Amino acid sequence: MKKSLLVLPVLAVILVGIAVIGFSENGTLKEAQKIDDSVSLNVRFAVWTGKEIIVGAVLFVEEEDAHEFRIYRISGDKKEVALRIPIGDRPIPGDTAVWTGKEILIFGGTENEGTAYQTPDVYSYSPDTNQLRLLNASIPYPNSGKAALWDGRYGYLFIQPDRSEEKFVYRFEPETGRFEKLNVTYPEGFGNPGTCLYSAVWYKGLGYLVFRDKIAVFDPSSLSFRWSNATLPTEYYARSAVATEEGIFIFGGFLTWDDFSREIFKFVPEKGLVEKMKSELPFGVAQAPAVWNGRWVYIIGGYSNGRDVNAIIPYDYRADRVGG
């Protein structure tokens, strides 16, 4: 049975399986590095801190017959479970997240082991102290599709409330915990920003959100929001994106429950050019966070053909090669 595209980010918290594929040096398939070797999990966010990859995920612990939220810290082949938080009746952190340079701001989450109700909570996770704390802040319209960006001082939350055609942009100041609604009009034809959850990136002073075959450009200084002149040749939802020094790389996407993309594109905003890369992902995947460590891009987790993905896919963007 087909589901609505716009609720895929919420439905993906149902843990239904694992998909793991990788490559050896000669190009043959082999098992890829898993996020966790022992569990099925759903990745909620991932960031690169300059030292390590930090992943927030929800999983089901069979021996305890319960769900829990975990934070993983990954550096090279070393993987550490830094925090384990039983969920029970507590909210699950991690609707969307940004790295500020000193902490991860986590906006929202879901209530009671993944039910559809979303919470207004804002969390902060500090790698230095390994502490997850609840901030004195409340998200406007928590039950909404949302994406987030960080510009070096403020967080920006792109929101469409459930059962509403209206869309808003809010600016968040961590020091005060205050959300300010900005006077911003979305580009005509822009749908739910929740489908841009993993494709919203900050690049050279501007925000970029990939929506189907279009790329929207947000300028916080002028409060303008417009379509880029560049377009993608296909119209997948829930793509992944990451900004590098060479431009923005865009991965995968979702059209129906039977149609997941393996495509990789390179978008160079300065030139307005989109290039389809020769390499493809080893399998079609959507709503997977992507990070860049200055050398490699890593696509982490995601959702693919009825399964939550428990894998880290490395991509050498300079050589256009998938696999470590």
Side-chain angles (χ1 to χ4, degrees):
M1 181 175 67
K2 299 294 187 295
K3 304 289 185 181
S4 167
L5 293 173
L6 298 183
V7 298
L8 180 61
V10 174
L11 293 177
V13 300
I14 302 172
L15 306 182
V16 292
I18 303 172
V20 180
I21 299 176
F23 291 100
S24 65
E25 290 186 2
N26 63 7
T28 59
L29 290 176
K30 68 178 182 69
E31 187 173 288
Q33 181 181 5
K34 294 181 181 179
I35 301 160
D36 191 316
D37 295 332
S38 61
V39 296
S40 300
L41 49 76
N42 169 251
V43 173
R44 309 304 294 272
F45 63 83
V47 303
W48 168 252
T49 69
K51 297 179 180 178
E52 60 189 347
I53 299 171
I54 295 181
V55 177
V58 178
L59 53 97
F60 180 71
V61 184
E62 292 186 11
E63 58 268 27
E64 299 176 14
D65 192 29
H67 288 83
E68 70 179 31
F69 174 76
R70 287 186 184 179
I71 286 182
Y72 294 88
R73 301 174 74 153
I74 302 171
S75 180
D77 293 330
K78 181 181 178 181
K79 293 172 289 183
E80 172 192 0
V81 180
L83 281 181
R84 296 181 59 175
I85 302 175
I87 293 171
D89 293 331
R90 299 174 62 182
I92 304 169
D95 204 17
T96 186
V98 296
W99 170 246
T100 70
K102 63 178 182 179
E103 63 183 347
I104 301 173
L105 295 176
I106 306 167
F107 297 101
T110 51
E111 193 76 71
N112 297 333
E113 300 188 0
T115 58
Y117 176 73
Q118 293 169 271
T119 71
D121 300 325
V122 181
Y123 299 84
S124 168
Y125 172 73
S126 168
D128 292 336
T129 64
N130 195 35
Q131 295 293 314
L132 180 72
R133 59 190 180 93
L134 182 64
L135 301 184
N136 185 22
S138 185
I139 298 172
Y141 308 104
N143 230 44
S144 61
K146 57 181 73 72
L149 289 172
W150 176 257
D151 73 350
R153 180 181 178 186
Y154 298 108
Y156 294 90
L157 208 57
F158 302 83
I159 292 179
Q160 179 175 353
D162 283 1
R163 302 180 181 88
S164 172
E165 294 301 316
E166 290 191 275
K167 305 174 187 70
F168 306 103
V169 180
Y170 281 85
R171 182 166 59 198
F172 177 69
E173 186 172 19
E175 296 299 322
T176 63
R178 179 171 176 260
F179 284 94
E180 176 190 0
K181 186 169 73 171
L182 303 180
N183 185 22
V184 176
T185 301
Y186 280 71
E188 184 176 355
F190 193 107
N192 194 316
T195 64
C196 304
L197 174 61
Y198 298 113
S199 67
V201 300
W202 189 257
Y203 179 81
K204 296 187 177 180
L206 298 173
Y208 294 85
L209 291 82
V210 183
F211 179 74
R212 300 193 71 180
D213 61 333
K214 297 181 179 180
I215 303 170
V217 186
F218 170 68
D219 185 344
S221 61
S222 63
L223 297 183
S224 66
F225 208 2
R226 60 177 176 81
W227 291 119
S228 165
N229 292 329
T231 59
L232 301 166
T234 53
E235 296 189 353
Y236 288 94
Y237 290 93
R239 299 185 194 259
S240 306
V242 67
T244 75
E245 90 286 5
E246 291 190 4
I248 298 168
F249 286 84
I250 302 165
F251 304 87
F254 164 96
L255 194 56
T256 72
W257 285 89
D258 301 314
D259 186 356
F260 284 74
S261 173
R262 297 172 58 192
E263 299 169 324
I264 303 173
F265 296 95
K266 178 181 178 180
F267 168 51
V268 183
E270 296 92 333
K271 299 179 180 179
L273 297 178
V274 170
E275 174 187 1
K276 188 177 188 301
M277 310 307 289
K278 293 181 180 179
S279 292
E280 292 189 330
L281 299 173
F283 52 89
V285 67
Q287 61 182 45
V291 301
W292 174 54
N293 70 355
R295 177 62 186 87
W296 290 82
V297 172
Y298 296 95
I299 299 94
I300 300 171
Y303 194 75
S304 180
N305 294 306
R307 298 168 177 256
D308 285 295
V309 177
N310 182 358
I312 301 172
I313 304 172
Y315 175 62
D316 183 344
Y317 64 99
R318 295 172 182 169
D320 185 23
R321 180 169 61 92
V322 176

